């Protein structure tokens, strides 16, 4: 007997052997058959989906769940374009703090809306002496007031209170770690947001590290979230490379640095597992810290690498030698050069054809870098919604020649490179359907076309959020398509993305999300 049979739907399976179905059978959280194989079988529950379209659950291969969850409950200045309005929010938040030692956290900061960065002196006037930490929406910078600057070592660089990359990490380190209870609650909030958008599995892009980590015991917070019933979707955890330490492993192992006990990619189960090692090579375009091979248009600099290029390369090679899948953050083309050179060196030292290393973002990739991606078998994990929402700005700072190279689509596919969709939430909107729309149209919100030739088909865009996402996370045997034997993770849509006008894809309703064969609202304790 089936646990559930879903009927009267258009199942777009993403499986070329059975691309479309009308019935799907579930038993013990797995898909057991399609159409005639299950139509006549008894089932405890038969659900009539009334002609809806059903896809495999979306896989978001690059997210930040705790940051998303905390941002949802943090005072925000998003949408404010006047300095006085921003300072009023800070003053209100500071006035609510009962202790002079309290930190005041503010979300939604983006200097582009204001025309310039805020300054520490401006924050001093409204902070009542409390420590203010205003996170840049990119995650690659922050603005703090003098109460924070006074606690930092004198050699930490800043521009009137704006700290970027490692300097931001030094400011973050001043704060006590979040508790596992706080983290578990934030993870749960973000997970529910993901489910509402049809996401059934995701990869958390860097726990425990200086830039995006929240605690040195952050993995335990995910375990706690699962134990408390707060983790209703599948999560793979990338570990920040700054958690590696030198180890005295056996000479034949060839492992110079590792996590304690040799933990690496693959540990865990269907719900919670350890994924790639996350290595940062540069910053972000919003903060103008992505490392380019030539300067930003209208600026006198070309961004920055996170460290000396040789040190970055050594970390990439050491992670490869230790058996990790690598997720190398490289937004600018100069950063991509560093990543590709190091990955080539690593594979030369110890060939691992099945490593499935990834370049996270691949935001600006020159034409001559594409064959290297293909040669090395590296996946490109892109965030299409960056250009949907920030495309006008990104195109302007890249200039006419480089703008078409931003967050490519068709060029990756033409070179046989696995194109993986993701959001980087909460940096921007996490909706896979809105991202799919951009991948097809290549149009920003204003209607500006950015790299028109990089537009891809709806099928290829859906594949980036299903089949390719599963491949990038080593989940292809259990997720990514509606194939018998795989997990019954799926999303029910109010319309078929392949049959509506491309401009309507982002507005298609997510009717329901199923994980392990159960509707999402029944998954949260």
């Amino acid at each position: 007997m089936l646990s559930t049979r879903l009927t009267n739907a258009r199942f777009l399976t993403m499986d070329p052997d059975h691309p479309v179905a009308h019935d799907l059978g579930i038993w013990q959280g797995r898909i057991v058959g399609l159409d005639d194989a299950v139509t006549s079988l008894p089932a405890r529950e038969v659900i009539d989906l009334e002609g809806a379209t059903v896809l495999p659950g979306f896989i978001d291969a690059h997210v930040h769940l705790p940051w998303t969850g905390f941002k949802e409950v943090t005072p925000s200045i998003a949408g404010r374009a006047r300095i006085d309005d921003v300072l009023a929010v800070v003053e209100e938040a500071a006035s609510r703090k009962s202790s002079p030692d309290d930190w005041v956290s503010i979300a939604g900061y983006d200097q582009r809306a204001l025309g310039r960065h805020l300054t520490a002196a401006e924050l001093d006037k409204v902070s009542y002496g409390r420590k203010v930490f205003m996170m840049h929406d990119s995650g690659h910078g922050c603005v703090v007031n003098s109460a924070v600057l006074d606690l930092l070592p004198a050699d930490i660089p800043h521009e009137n209170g704006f700290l970027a990359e490692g300097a931001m990490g030094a400011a973050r380190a001043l704060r006590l770690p979040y508790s596992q209870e706080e983290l578990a609650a934030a993870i749960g909030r973000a997970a529910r947001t993901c489910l509402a958008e049809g996401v059934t599995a995701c990869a958390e892009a860097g726990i425990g590290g200086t830039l995006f980590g929240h605690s040195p015991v952050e993995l335990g917070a995910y375990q706690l979230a699962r134990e408390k019933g707060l983790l209703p979707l599948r999560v793979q955890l990338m570990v920040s490379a700054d958690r590696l330490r030198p180890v005295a492993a056996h000479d034949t192992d060839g492992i110079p640095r590792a996590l304690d006990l040799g933990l690496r990619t693959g540990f865990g189960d269907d719900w919670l597992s350890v994924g790639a090692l996350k290595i940062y090579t540069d910053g972000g375009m919003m903060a103008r810290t992505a490392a380019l091979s030539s300067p930003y248009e209208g600026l006198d600099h070309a961004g920055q690498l996170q460290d000396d290029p040789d040190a970055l390369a050594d970390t990439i090679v050491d992670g490869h030698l230790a058996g990790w899948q690598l997720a190398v953050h490289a937004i600018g083309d100069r950063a991509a050069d560093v990543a590709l050179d190091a990955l080539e060196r690593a594979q030369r030292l110890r060939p691992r054809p099945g490593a499935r290393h990834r370049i996270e973002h691949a935001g600006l990739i020159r034409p001559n870098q594409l064959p290297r991606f293909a040669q090395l078998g590296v996946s490109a994990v892109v965030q299409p919604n960056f250009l949907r929402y920030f495309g006008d700005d990104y195109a302007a700072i890249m200039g006419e020649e480089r703008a078409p190279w931003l967050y490519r689509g068709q060029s990756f596919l033409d070179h046989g490179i696995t194109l993986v969709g993701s959001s980087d939430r909460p940096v921007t909107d996490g909706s896979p359907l809105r991202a799919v729309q951009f991948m097809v149209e290549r149009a920003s919100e204003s209607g500006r076309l950015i790299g028109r030739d990089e537009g891809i088909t709806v099928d290829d865009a859906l594949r980036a959020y299903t089949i390719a996402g599963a491949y990038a996370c080593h989940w292809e045997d259990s997720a990514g398509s509606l194939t018998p034997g795989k997990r019954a993770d799926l999303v029910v849509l109010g319309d078929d993305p392949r049959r509506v006008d491309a401009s309507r894809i982002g507005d298609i309703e997510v009717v329901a999300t199923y994980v392990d064969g159960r509707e999402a609202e029944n998954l949260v304790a």
Side-chain angles (χ1 to χ4, degrees):
M1 175 180 285
L2 300 173
S3 305
T4 307
R5 180 163 59 86
L6 303 178
T7 188
N8 188 20
R10 180 177 175 80
F11 293 91
L12 306 181
T13 68
M14 308 306 293
D15 181 348
D17 292 333
H18 195 144
V20 181
H22 53 76
D23 275 37
L24 180 145
I26 300 168
W27 184 68
Q28 293 190 347
R30 295 270 172 170
I31 299 167
V32 296
L34 301 166
D35 293 344
D36 293 346
V38 297
T39 301
S40 61
L41 295 179
R44 293 192 186 98
E45 182 180 30
V46 177
I47 300 176
D48 185 341
L49 293 177
E50 301 178 348
T53 296
V54 182
L55 281 160
F58 296 126
I59 296 171
D60 191 333
H62 186 119
V63 303
H64 299 278
L65 293 181
W67 181 15
T68 299
F70 285 127
K71 190 173 181 179
E72 288 179 6
V73 295
T74 298
S76 177
I77 59 168
R80 290 171 173 81
R82 296 177 64 249
I83 299 291
D84 287 347
D85 292 341
V86 169
L87 295 178
V89 174
V90 177
E91 183 170 19
E92 170 64 19
S95 69
R96 294 200 210 105
K97 299 296 181 179
S98 58
S99 169
D101 295 328
D102 287 343
W103 285 74
V104 180
S105 295
I106 303 292
Y109 177 65
D110 186 343
Q111 85 285 354
R112 296 173 304 174
L114 302 172
R116 65 170 175 84
H117 279 299
L118 290 173
T119 68
E122 287 171 326
L123 294 178
D124 290 344
K125 296 176 181 178
V126 295
S127 55
Y128 299 98
R130 292 170 176 81
K131 296 178 282 291
V132 176
F133 184 95
M134 186 176 289
M135 185 76 160
H136 195 278
D137 263 349
S138 69
H140 289 274
C142 65
V143 176
V144 300
N145 64 348
S146 297
V148 177
L149 294 177
D150 290 345
L151 299 174
L152 290 170
D155 61 347
I156 296 295
H158 70 90
E159 298 178 14
N160 299 318
F162 177 73
L163 301 97
E165 307 302 342
M168 177 197 70
R172 282 172 57 90
L174 294 173
R175 307 182 66 172
L176 290 174
Y178 288 97
S179 72
Q180 289 197 354
E181 290 282 353
E182 291 175 298
L183 280 165
I187 290 164
R189 283 193 296 272
R192 290 190 292 275
T193 300
C194 291
L195 284 171
E197 294 174 342
V199 175
T200 58
C202 64
E204 169 64 43
I207 63 169
T210 300
L211 283 182
F212 290 98
H214 297 83
S215 167
V217 291
E218 198 163 359
L219 191 152
Y222 281 87
Q223 291 180 288
L224 180 62
R226 182 179 177 188
E227 291 162 1
K228 297 182 71 170
L230 299 174
L231 196 64
L233 76 172
R234 307 181 197 280
V235 180
Q236 188 177 85
L237 303 173
M238 300 185 206
V239 177
S240 291
D242 53 6
R243 304 303 299 174
L244 295 179
R245 65 177 73 185
V247 293
H250 194 281
D251 288 345
T252 59
D253 291 337
I255 299 176
R257 283 187 282 175
L259 251 61
D260 289 344
L261 302 178
L263 187 72
R264 61 175 172 83
T265 303
F267 186 82
D269 59 23
D270 278 354
W271 284 96
L272 185 62
S273 61
V274 174
L277 186 72
K278 178 73 178 294
I279 301 170
Y280 296 91
T281 63
D282 69 344
M285 285 189 187
M286 291 170 64
R288 311 313 196 220
T289 55
L292 312 179
S293 55
S294 57
Y296 290 88
E297 285 286 312
L299 300 178
D300 60 359
H301 70 85
Q304 65 189 76
L305 295 171
Q306 292 282 358
D307 203 341
D308 175 80
D310 290 338
L312 294 171
D314 287 345
T315 299
I316 291 171
V317 171
D318 287 354
H320 174 89
L321 294 177
W324 287 90
Q325 178 190 22
L326 303 180
V328 185
H329 169 115
I331 292 183
D333 61 327
R334 184 185 175 208
D337 281 334
V338 170
L340 293 168
D341 288 346
L343 290 170
E344 182 176 354
R345 175 181 149 205
Q347 291 284 16
R348 189 167 57 246
L349 289 172
R350 180 177 295 172
R352 288 177 52 213
R356 298 190 195 176
H357 297 321
R358 311 159 36 148
I359 299 290
E360 306 299 302
H361 307 297
L364 185 76
I365 301 300
R366 302 188 309 272
N368 65 350
Q369 291 175 315
L370 293 166
R372 298 196 67 197
F373 270 76
Q375 179 185 7
L376 292 167
V378 174
S379 298
V381 184
V382 300
Q383 297 75 40
N385 276 336
F386 279 13
L387 290 190
R388 178 180 172 90
Y389 294 99
F390 311 139
D392 293 355
D393 173 62
Y394 283 18
I397 61 174
M398 288 301 106
E400 185 175 349
E401 179 185 8
R402 292 182 294 182
W405 306 345
L406 287 164
Y407 294 91
R408 292 176 179 270
Q410 190 61 50
S411 290
F412 285 130
L413 296 178
D414 288 345
H415 284 77
I417 298 161
T418 300
L419 175 65
V420 184
S422 69
S423 68
D424 203 15
R425 73 172 75 227
V427 176
T428 191
D429 182 358
S431 165
L433 287 170
R434 283 189 280 275
V436 165
Q437 178 177 325
F438 176 82
M439 295 174 89
V440 176
E441 292 185 316
R442 298 290 299 189
S444 70
E445 278 196 307
S446 74
R448 178 173 182 169
L449 295 179
I450 303 166
R452 183 199 300 263
D453 292 342
E454 295 296 335
I456 62 178
T457 67
V458 175
D459 281 340
D460 283 336
L462 292 174
R463 193 171 292 113
Y465 275 91
T466 53
I467 293 290
Y471 177 85
C473 296
H474 290 268
W475 283 333
E476 71 274 13
D477 290 338
S478 58
S481 67
L482 302 180
T483 301
K486 292 191 177 184
R487 306 167 187 155
D489 297 351
L490 46 92
V491 56
V492 181
L493 302 179
D495 216 331
D496 184 343
R498 304 187 308 180
R499 294 185 169 186
V500 303
D501 188 87
S503 64
R504 290 182 50 213
I505 293 174
D507 295 324
I508 292 174
E509 179 188 4
V510 175
V511 177
T513 306
Y514 286 75
V515 182
D516 253 6
R518 292 186 294 153
E519 193 169 353
E521 65 182 14
N522 300 318
L523 295 171
V524 182

